Amino acid sequence: MKIGILGTGTVGEALATALIRQGHNVMMGSRNVTNEKIQDWVKKTGKGALAGTFNEAAAFGDLFFICLNGAFAAAVVKELDPEHVAQKIVIDITNPLDFSQGNPPRIMERYMTTSLGETIQHLLPTAFVVKTLNTINYRLMIDAREVNDGKHDLFLCGNDATAKNQVKHFLVDNFHWRPENLIDLGDIKSALTMEAIVPFWVQVYRSIGTPLFNFKIVH
Amino acid sequence: MKIGILGTGTVGEALATALIRQGHNVMMGSRNVTNEKIQDWVKKTGKGALAGTFNEAAAFGDLFFICLNGAFAAAVVKELDPEHVAQKIVIDITNPLDFSQGNPPRIMERYMTTSLGETIQHLLPTAFVVKTLNTINYRLMIDAREVNDGKHDLFLCGNDATAKNQVKHFLVDNFHWRPENLIDLGDIKSALTMEAIVPFWVQVYRSIGTPLFNFKIVH
């Protein structure tokens, strides 16, 4: 499969590297293709690894991930060529976190009542945005078995049932998530509550001392 | 022990009844002591059950619970006589939820950056406010064994370590919580993230179809 990754931070690089290991072709998209970090990654990774602009990575992918900093994700998405995103699945991992008041962060004020996930769907009306993976550490994103033998829960939401189903399969096939642990929270409006729990996640991380944990729903 | 319960809704009544079964004396506090509901409760419950005003219930308790509607909790707390609350443990279960935009609720705008828990501590500077129990259904509050044999996590925060310790013991002794599942998230400022996850809890409830669940941290 051809996959675009918008954002070259820790999360983007971890996803890209994991997906290449799974046999996919991955283009990492950034503002400036010539930056050293991304060129190093392409060289280091070898076969299947490409670098491009944000628009090129979106155009390249059969689906693409958005793992940009919450502060400028919407601005980047707004500049994407609508032709390159039409009918594509967009996996949104962003979190609109504001660290200006210290740690744990808060939700950025402009996303307190309309989530970043919903904003992205609004900016890409012909794409199928699925919000997921934003509530866990990047090492769990790419391999659910990192904790408790994969028995813990991941949430997702989005407007299109088929797209959510495809994302579920993608997570199971590539990142070792168990189907029974993928919990559909409804349409993209649910991104508001999924983003809202991230400061709590940070608080728990600070309290228990490791980011390698997740929540499991018991009933 | 003498316990005050401020608020006579589902949560307040469940707590009061459970605590009387544990052998405590409980005064339920309300705006209007003569209301039928609270008088019925006193009659029905019998020995150990009392009714009073908010101020009387706070004065009565060696410790007291606040389980008022988030919309007017601060206004009630502001009217409490400082003499009646000095040096007492106050267990704050409130959630500042705004249902005006539908379900799931949002956090009330005025508590988005300063939590209701922190507001209550500010209004009662000589009391030891401990925020806990706000992230679960009332049936789990009073008996953790309702799900998964009690193996799931409860969070608490507050400024005073001794008070938090006493609340932990109280939860273990009266409501069957396991000590290893009581997670201290730090000072009362952490109430912000503990309140922020409640709309997410509601979303999960709607998705899985039962309020009898909780989150367990796995790592």
Side-chain angles (χ1 to χ4, degrees):
Chain A
M1 201 171 176
K2 286 157 68 180
I3 297 167
I5 308 265
L6 278 58
T8 57
T10 308
V11 171
E13 187 173 331
L15 285 171
T17 304
L19 289 169
I20 282 173
R21 279 201 204 111
Q22 293 288 335
H24 299 288
N25 293 308
V26 177
M27 185 183 288
M28 286 193 81
S30 61
R31 193 175 308 278
N32 179 4
V33 187
T34 59
N35 80 52
E36 261 183 57
K37 195 190 165 200
I38 193 164
Q39 291 300 338
D40 283 354
W41 176 81
V42 169
K43 266 182 234 158
K44 183 178 72 184
T45 309
K47 193 168 171 302
L50 294 162
T53 62
F54 291 129
N55 244 312
E56 286 166 346
F60 175 81
D62 301 317
L63 69 76
F64 64 92
F65 286 82
I66 301 180
C67 30
L68 296 158
N69 184 312
F72 52 79
V76 169
V77 167
K78 204 179 286 179
E79 296 302 316
L80 294 179
D81 186 336
E83 248 183 79
H84 295 153
V85 305
Q87 310 303 312
K88 285 186 184 175
I89 289 174
V90 176
I91 300 180
D92 167 30
I93 312 189
T94 58
N95 279 312
L97 299 179
D98 170 8
F99 286 88
S100 69
Q101 308 293 310
N103 209 343
R106 295 183 176 180
I107 297 296
M108 297 172 63
E109 207 171 326
R110 67 179 179 278
Y111 295 117
M112 279 183 176
T113 52
T114 301
S115 67
L116 183 47
E118 194 178 350
T119 302
I120 289 172
Q121 178 65 82
H122 181 76
L123 292 169
L124 303 176
T126 61
F128 306 116
V129 176
V130 177
K131 182 116 208 168
T132 190
L133 293 171
N134 70 306
T135 58
I136 46 174
N137 178 264
Y138 72 94
R139 282 175 55 189
L140 272 73
M141 290 183 196
I142 59 172
D143 192 345
R145 299 168 305 184
E146 283 269 1
V147 306
N148 202 41
D149 199 24
K151 291 172 189 159
H152 47 89
D153 293 310
L154 184 66
F155 305 94
L156 76 167
C157 70
N159 294 340
D160 188 84
T162 308
K164 284 190 281 193
N165 222 12
Q166 285 182 267
V167 170
K168 282 184 182 180
H169 281 291
F170 187 91
L171 295 169
V172 170
D173 293 346
N174 291 287
F175 300 149
H176 310 287
W177 286 88
R178 292 166 180 259
E180 67 270 26
N181 292 116
L182 301 174
I183 297 179
D184 186 345
L185 292 183
D187 68 25
I188 195 66
K189 281 189 189 297
S190 299
L192 189 69
T193 65
M194 286 174 58
E195 294 170 9
I197 65 168
V198 175
F200 177 77
W201 182 94
V202 174
Q203 192 79 60
V204 172
Y205 166 24
R206 287 154 55 92
S207 173
I208 68 174
T210 172
L212 293 179
F213 73 89
N214 195 10
F215 303 108
K216 180 171 160 40
I217 292 172
V218 295
H219 52 100
Chain B
M1 200 169 179
K2 285 157 67 182
I3 297 167
I5 309 263
L6 278 57
T8 57
T10 308
V11 171
E13 187 174 331
L15 286 169
T17 305
L19 289 168
I20 282 173
R21 277 201 205 111
Q22 294 288 333
H24 300 289
N25 294 307
V26 178
M27 184 183 288
M28 285 193 81
S30 60
R31 193 176 306 277
N32 179 6
V33 186
T34 59
N35 80 51
E36 262 184 56
K37 195 190 164 198
I38 193 163
Q39 291 301 338
D40 282 353
W41 175 81
V42 169
K43 267 183 235 155
K44 183 178 74 185
T45 310
K47 193 169 174 298
L50 295 162
T53 63
F54 291 129
N55 244 312
E56 286 166 347
F60 176 82
D62 301 316
L63 69 76
F64 64 93
F65 286 83
I66 301 180
C67 29
L68 295 159
N69 185 311
F72 53 78
V76 169
V77 167
K78 203 177 288 178
E79 297 302 317
L80 294 178
D81 186 337
E83 247 184 79
H84 295 154
V85 305
Q87 309 302 313
K88 285 188 184 173
I89 289 174
V90 177
I91 301 181
D92 167 30
I93 311 188
T94 58
N95 280 312
L97 299 179
D98 170 7
F99 285 89
S100 69
Q101 308 293 309
N103 211 343
R106 296 181 176 180
I107 297 296
M108 295 171 66
E109 207 171 326
R110 66 181 181 276
Y111 295 117
M112 279 183 176
T113 53
T114 301
S115 67
L116 182 49
E118 194 177 350
T119 301
I120 289 172
Q121 178 64 82
H122 181 77
L123 292 170
L124 303 175
T126 61
F128 306 117
V129 177
V130 177
K131 181 117 208 167
T132 191
L133 295 171
N134 70 306
T135 59
I136 46 174
N137 176 265
Y138 72 94
R139 283 175 55 189
L140 272 72
M141 291 183 194
I142 60 172
D143 192 345
R145 300 168 305 183
E146 283 268 3
V147 305
N148 204 40
D149 200 24
K151 292 173 186 158
H152 48 89
D153 293 311
L154 184 66
F155 306 94
L156 75 168
C157 71
N159 293 340
D160 189 83
T162 307
K164 284 190 283 193
N165 223 11
Q166 286 182 265
V167 170
K168 281 183 184 181
H169 282 290
F170 187 90
L171 295 169
V172 169
D173 294 345
N174 292 288
F175 301 148
H176 311 286
W177 286 88
R178 292 166 179 259
E180 66 270 27
N181 292 116
L182 300 175
I183 298 181
D184 186 345
L185 292 183
D187 67 26
I188 195 66
K189 280 187 188 299
S190 299
L192 190 67
T193 65
M194 285 174 58
E195 294 170 8
I197 65 167
V198 175
F200 177 77
W201 182 95
V202 175
Q203 192 80 61
V204 172
Y205 166 22
R206 287 155 54 92
S207 173
I208 67 174
T210 174
L212 292 179
F213 72 90
N214 194 9
F215 303 108
K216 180 172 160 42
I217 292 172
V218 295
H219 49 103

